[in-house]
Amino acid sequence: MDIKPEQFLDRYGRRVLTDEGIPGVDAKEGMGSTTEVMKGAVAAAIYANCPRLNNAQLDEIISWVQLYKTTL
């Protein structure tokens, strides 16, 4: 499966990466609030680096992200 930048959407259905995989709300580089830019940076890192990782390594990364999730 070939993952594309347009598949990285926020909860409102807006793209968080440009066609080149650079952070940007609505696929526009440099756009967004401080936290939207942070989310775009994480998405860009995932897009750039995850294709070379195996499932066990991806599971480790998912567990690191889950450390920061809070339950209500």
Side-chain angles (χ1 to χ4, degrees):
M1 180 176 180
D2 189 28
I3 306 296
K4 298 180 183 347
E6 59 264 20
Q7 292 176 276
F8 289 80
L9 306 174
D10 67 11
R11 65 182 174 267
Y12 303 109
R14 298 177 305 171
R15 288 181 55 177
V16 299
L17 296 177
T18 66
D19 289 339
E20 295 76 27
I22 298 168
V25 174
D26 291 328
K28 296 177 185 141
E29 185 176 350
M31 297 298 293
S33 69
T34 304
T35 55
E36 288 170 329
V37 170
M38 287 178 178
K39 285 191 321 182
V42 172
I46 290 168
Y47 177 70
N49 296 292
C50 285
R52 295 181 291 276
L53 301 175
N54 65 36
N55 284 340
Q57 292 165 323
L58 292 169
D59 286 340
E60 288 173 340
I61 293 167
I62 291 167
S63 73
W64 300 337
V65 172
Q66 289 174 331
L67 290 172
Y68 288 93
K69 280 186 75 175
T70 58
T71 55
L72 301 176

